[in-house]
Amino acid sequence: MSKIEKLLVVGAGQMGAGIAQVAATAGVQVFLRDISIERATAGKKTIEASLDRFVKKEKLAAAERDAILARITPTDQIEAALDAQFAIEAATENIALKQKIFAELDTKLPSHVVLATNTSSISVTLLAASTKRPEQVIGMHFFNPVPMMSLVEIIRGLATSDAAFAQTQALALALGKEPVTSKDTPGFIVNRILVPMLNEAFYSLQEGVATAEDIDKAVKLGTNQPMGPLVLADFIGLDVCLAVLEVLHREIGDPKFRPCPLLRKYVEAGWLGRKTGRGVYAYDDVKK
Ligand code: NAD
């Protein structure tokens, strides 16, 4: 099994940029692909800003930052990355879009290349079926922000080969991550457990069990977590939480996953959390 030295990352948003940053920091050459060169370059700019913060805190030398950035090539063409040995797709969470990307990667990249997806909720097996190499398709689910969060969930589709799994696990370790293995099931491990807990916090708020502040304080101190569930939901994005709950509810079919009406109301109002300046809490520091 050869070491991955060239990686293609598809999607240069929050997650794609984070994955590219971690890979380039680990010495991997990265092609960062988005739908336009402007978006791909914006992804690289995000990485630069993140690395600058490490330089300011004296956790990274300026020369090392420059070397990391030099390993990242923004592009709008898969053709720029035909010698990549591994691909990670981190584009927008949309089934039809991801199926199209997988079909294109399958046509353009050599058949031995593993095609991984960072999807939070879409079936890996379904994406694998858009290719002629389902044994080479796998889930590689990073956590946000990627440079700070050590966990990677590795998800085997129905057809994923042992070799593709071993190569993905080796890559996760080479990127300094802690891999765990999950079945290809809605929410995988973390979101299946975490998101229903966030949902229950909304039910508690809806039923007037306590104020939002006290729900957060109680869970934070009572279960020794870094933040309360409503603050965390605002950070993740209430639309994202709702979307994950809907997948869990629809695909597992158990009513315990039904999204809280109050959460739905917040999303209808456009109160999506920190990113829109308003969720359960107001964030005056964030531009609306
Ligand atoms: P984002 O909106 O920040 O970025 C998505 C990027 O994909 C955008 O830059 C968009 O232009 C690009 N894109 C769209 N179509 C494309 C195409 N055809 N080719 C290349 N690029 C394309 O989203 P994100 O938060 O980075 O999420 C990306 C993926 O990661 C999703 O599948 C999401 O479920 C998953 N994920 C997100 C989080 C999170 O906390 N945000 C955590 C784990 C996994």
Side-chain angles (χ1 to χ4, degrees):
M1 189 171 60
S2 60
K3 190 169 169 281
I4 304 301
E5 285 163 354
K6 286 189 183 175
L7 173 72
L8 167 62
V9 177
V10 180
Q14 239 186 136
M15 295 303 290
I19 294 165
Q21 177 176 335
V22 164
T25 302
V28 178
Q29 198 78 37
V30 183
F31 300 96
L32 183 56
R33 198 239 165 188
D34 209 298
I35 45 177
S36 67
I37 193 70
E38 289 76 19
R39 286 207 187 187
T41 308
K44 187 168 174 180
K45 279 260 171 266
T46 312
I47 298 170
E48 191 172 348
S50 166
L51 293 173
D52 279 345
R53 286 195 288 277
F54 288 118
V55 172
K56 264 209 187 94
K57 289 185 195 154
E58 296 184 355
K59 286 186 173 160
L60 185 74
E64 184 52 23
R65 171 200 56 203
D66 296 345
I68 294 168
L69 288 171
R71 284 194 280 271
I72 301 172
T73 309
T75 179
D76 58 354
Q77 304 286 329
I78 289 180
E79 285 74 7
L82 292 184
D83 58 346
Q85 298 149 298
F86 198 101
I88 304 176
E89 171 277 318
T92 314
E93 188 78 345
N94 173 295
I95 295 179
L97 172 78
K98 286 191 193 280
Q99 284 175 319
K100 205 170 135 235
I101 292 173
F102 271 80
E104 189 185 4
L105 290 172
D106 187 41
T107 319
K108 295 189 172 159
L109 295 183
S111 59
H112 65 272
V113 173
V114 170
L115 311 178
T117 174
N118 184 48
T119 181
S120 309
S121 62
I122 298 168
S123 157
V124 173
T125 304
L126 181 73
L127 295 178
S130 349
T131 73
K132 293 194 181 70
R133 65 179 93 180
E135 67 290 347
Q136 297 286 89
V137 176
I138 196 160
M140 196 176 187
H141 186 222
F142 290 82
F143 287 75
N144 189 19
V146 183
M148 312 303 294
M149 301 286 281
S150 59
L151 183 66
V152 172
E153 290 177 330
I154 300 180
I155 303 105
R156 296 183 74 143
L158 204 57
T160 309
S161 70
D162 290 346
F165 174 74
Q167 195 172 31
T168 307
Q169 195 164 39
L171 177 62
L173 292 170
L175 301 187
K177 299 300 180 195
E178 301 259 7
V180 293
T181 311
S182 168
K183 250 170 68 174
D184 187 15
T185 170
F188 310 133
I189 303 172
V190 172
N191 283 339
R192 180 174 178 151
I193 296 170
L194 172 70
V195 182
M197 189 201 48
L198 306 183
N199 197 35
E200 203 53 40
F202 274 92
Y203 274 112
S204 303
L205 184 63
Q206 179 178 279
E207 290 170 21
V209 173
T211 61
E213 288 79 3
D214 274 0
I215 291 170
D216 275 330
K217 186 173 174 182
V219 177
K220 180 178 163 179
L221 300 181
T223 63
N224 203 15
Q225 298 197 35
M227 62 181 95
L230 299 169
V231 171
L232 179 58
D234 270 1
F235 179 72
I236 294 171
L238 301 190
D239 54 334
V240 177
C241 295
L242 179 61
V244 174
L245 279 163
E246 276 172 340
V247 170
L248 290 170
H249 191 213
R250 187 179 64 235
E251 298 199 6
I252 301 177
D254 189 321
K256 74 181 178 185
F257 294 113
R258 73 203 181 286
C260 175
L262 182 64
L263 169 63
R264 212 181 272 289
K265 270 280 166 272
Y266 275 63
V267 173
E268 281 170 5
W271 294 2
L272 306 185
R274 193 161 231 301
K275 62 188 171 188
T276 57
R278 177 74 217 240
V280 176
Y281 299 100
Y283 302 90
D284 295 332
D285 56 320
V286 179
K287 220 171 79 205
K288 310 263 183 318

